[in-house]
Amino acid sequence: MTSAAVESFVTKHLDLLELERDAEVEERSAVEQVREVNRFAFRLPLVTGRGGPRGDIVGLYDESGQLATGILTRITPKLVTVAFDESHDLQLSLDRENSYRLLKLANDITYKRLKKALITLKKYHSGPASSLIEVLLGGAAPCPASEIPPLTFCNASLDASQKEAVLFALSQKELAIIHGPPGTGKTTTVVEIILQAVKQGSKVLCCAPSNIAVDNLVERLARWKQRIVRLGHPARLLESIQRHSLDAVLARSDGAQIVADIRRDIDQVSECDPAVSALRAACASALKNKKTQDKRERSDFRNEIRLLRKELKEREEAAALQSLTAACVVLATNTGASLDGPLKLLPDGHFDIVVIDECAQALEASCWIPLLQARKCILAGDHKQLPPTTVSHKAALAGLSLSLMERLAEEHGGSTVRTLTVQYRMHGAIMQWASQALYRGQLTAHPSVARHLLRDLPGVAATEETGLPLLLVDTAGCGLFELEEEDDQSKGNPGEVRLVSLHVQALVDAGVRAGDIAVITPYNLQVDLLRQSLAHRHPELEIKSVDGFQGREKEAVILSFVRSNRKGEVGFLAEDRRINVAVTRARRHVAVVCDSHTVSNHAFLKTLVDYFTEHGEVRTAFEYLDDIVPENYSHESPQVHGQAGEKPQGSAVPARKAPGSQQPVGARPGRKKPGGVPLGSKAHAQPSVNAGGPEGARRDGADHFRAMIAEFVASEETQLEFPASLNSHDRMRVHQIAEELGLRHDSSGEGKERFITVSKRVLPAPAAPPPPAGTDSKAPVCPETPSPEQTEPPIRGPGSRDQLDLRALHLERLQRARGRQEQQTREGPQAAGSGLRKLPEKKKKAKGLTAMDLPAEEDFDALVSAAIKADNTCGLAKCTASVATLGQLCQHCGRRYCLSHHLPEIHGCGERAHTHARQRISREGVLYAGSGTKDRSLDPAKRAQLQRRLDRKLDELTGQRRSKGKEKGK
Ligand SMILES: Nc1ncnc2c1ncn2[C@@H]1O[C@H](COP(=O)(O)OP(=O)(O)OP(=O)(O)O)[C@@H](O)[C@H]1O
Ligand SMILES: [Zn+2]
Ligand SMILES: [Zn+2]
């Protein structure tokens, strides 16, 4: 039974590895195109260390082909250090003017080791791992757990779920799985298990897929003064733990002196070899010996060297065996535990337990390298986070990315699994989403973190932002669309880049260190765009796709989900586990920047958006950006004038008021009910938690708000105040509806006090065209209000004041807001007290759209009379030319101008035209002729993309991810 299962498992995985390898080779040839050696400072010559090359193998090429092969020993953003094989050292003379390519060569050793492990597994007949194989592959039930004596925990602060996991792991006979959701102290628990096992006299082989994870364990175990040995090339280990490497341990061992003596002997003899001495002409003794050489002597030298080398090898192996035997815990990457390395020196059955940490991120084949060396295994990890990285999509789908841990957790269910349930990282509100979405609601937040906020950090001010664990900045309805790049799969969204950078700035201004903030986005193009706009301002800020963050944490995390389009297309968006990792990196604050309307078509992201909507603060992008145009209007053609016949004749157009003086003297204050029941209080009766953009909003509870606002529009009221008790998503809807209807909508107040005021707009004179004949002059200056059932953007019939261009209104409003702010600055704080609550200065700056003065009814009267009076003459105040037949409509201000004044720049719309063009660029990612910025804006994106590919490749090489180590055994 087992053998058949093993055989089919092995056959399948050998095939999958083959697929994966082919894909890797293919990808490499794509990457190599961008890797030009002359981008790096090149250090030559670099000499290999003892024991031969162990890092990633690279080839150096010029146009003529391969010049040399070597190994990467160090990579920094500016410098790649390569150790070339000694034979090349003196032949290589690189010309700095020339361009070279450095290619990573196929990592054969890793594949060889993986295959070898699988084949050994297939052939395994009897040995310590026999019953483990039965349990892991043959579907055999694990043996009943053994009784263990009560423990004294080394780490007294373990929580109940951690203690339970330790007891469970120790008592299991073959298999124990420790499932550690984010921040639950999985490594803490694994360390305790190892300490206890060692106390019981066990020998432990401890592995993880990546060098960084292994180093982490070494560090944590070293604190407990354990006898540990870390396998692997010292150059690939963190400096702090290099002293635990086998090489370092050997250097301190008894045999070290003898080994050093032999080594010196070899060197001395070698110097007498003519081939070597030619390279060491400077050596005086070599020169002397050279004279005495003859063929016979030469062969004597060679023999002597051979003997010395043999003795050296024996001595070194004896010393290594001694060190390994003395160690209680041996640590290595999965592939580093291969039996073609130092572990071959140990007798079969030396280890009692194999521990594999981060097991859910390891290829199962790589786990079998250590697994075959013990009778019992303890696997730790979280299969709800990222699976092992694979290059071949096909192989991944066929099962290569299914980790051993995930497979077993599914097959055996709870009987072999213990889950850690107390997490020590996230604010409770951040944790709760992940807990519900992925961990069956099992997680609880430790009291030390449950309520911690950014504002609790030293040096961080208590602003609104630093008091929020969850913030959703919604671009739904704001027209901040993703870029459409036909030639690339990746997506970018410049509007989201702007929002992210405003939010980063708000946090940094409040005193949050940029190094405590991560910006995470699933699309690589967006990573590039974000870096372009943020990296220079905040060098410490980490901007990455999700993968680089696994296993790490940040005080604040900002997510940009990018997708925003009219079709509501999400296509590929990060998979659920990747989103889980992204959110759960955050300790105190998560901000999601997205188009809730588009993104809610992704089932899992919808749970996130819904959760934030219900439990977090929701703001619309309107609150951040003052030059955006509501999506609904962006595809409407400019309103056409032409009902000249309907326009009643009016009096002279009043002169434009000076900036900052829109409010006529004696204006009645807008309707406001401080302390009383706000007008919109009934809006609260129907809160809805469903996320959605404008269209979505229209379908559900937003109908209620729409109806209320419609009622308001039809009334004589100038202002409608919504209660602060509205949840933030409802507030967002109110913003959206008001925006659609061309109403002013302002948020004021802080936190729980935050409320929205919707008010009617005022057009500064010379104003919009007149209302249709017969309309009450007090009728609202708004487009016709759609009925609640209406599912299309409002359509203005010929009878309505369709000349009102909403875009213009929007911009007009912004202009007034600015004027108002300037006025306030001029007049001092007293002037601000007139209407709404005043917001802190900083916030005003950040959002641009804060407290504005309310329009007074006189404004409406003035507006209406202006409108009535707008006749067939040019829109420019001083110009009386007729526009009845030859006029041109300005799409920015919605007025008609004579042919001499129709250009935006001439009649005063230049700024708006510019804004509009910029908006279009950010919306459509297109630059139109004449803008003159194409080169600056697009090419860097491309360049950054290449840079990003390179970075990714380099990241891989540094071995943070799945180790592709191929340490060459001695
Ligand atoms: N019982 C405990 N009491 C207090 N703090 C704890 C406890 N267990 C873990 N922690 C803390 O929680 C943090 C995470 O612990 P650890 O590194 O062990 O987690 P992890 O699960 O391995 O993390 P990840 O899986 O996210 O990489 C550490 O700061 C650790 O000190
Ligand atoms: Zn204009
Ligand atoms: Zn004119």
Side-chain angles (χ1 to χ4, degrees), residues 889-895 897 901-904 907-910 912:
L889 179 81
C890 170
Q891 58 166 314
H892 304 293
C893 61
R895 277 172 235 142
Y897 294 90
H901 296 128
H902 78 273
L903 286 176
H907 68 252
C909 280
R912 287 181 211 164

Side-chain angles (χ1 to χ4, degrees), residues 573-653:
L573 199 47
E575 69 148 310
D576 302 358
R577 287 178 287 190
R578 193 165 263 109
I579 295 163
N580 177 36
V581 172
V583 172
T584 57
R585 297 312 92 197
R587 288 171 52 80
R588 298 160 194 262
H589 174 86
V590 181
V592 170
V593 177
C594 73
D595 177 340
S596 67
H597 181 50
T598 301
V599 146
S600 289
N601 291 323
H602 183 286
F604 191 72
L605 274 182
K606 187 174 186 310
T607 70
L608 183 68
V609 169
D610 288 352
Y611 180 85
F612 271 62
T613 299
E614 197 171 345
H615 302 281
E617 160 92 1
V618 181
R619 295 180 186 166
T620 115
F622 286 121
E623 297 177 61
Y624 284 82
L625 302 176
D626 57 8
D627 63 344
I628 54 178
V629 177
E631 175 189 4
N632 284 353
Y633 315 126
S634 62
H635 49 93
E636 285 170 12
S637 52
Q639 299 303 312
V640 179
H641 296 223
Q643 288 86 37
E646 296 172 24
K647 294 179 187 175
Q649 294 299 307
S651 53
V653 177

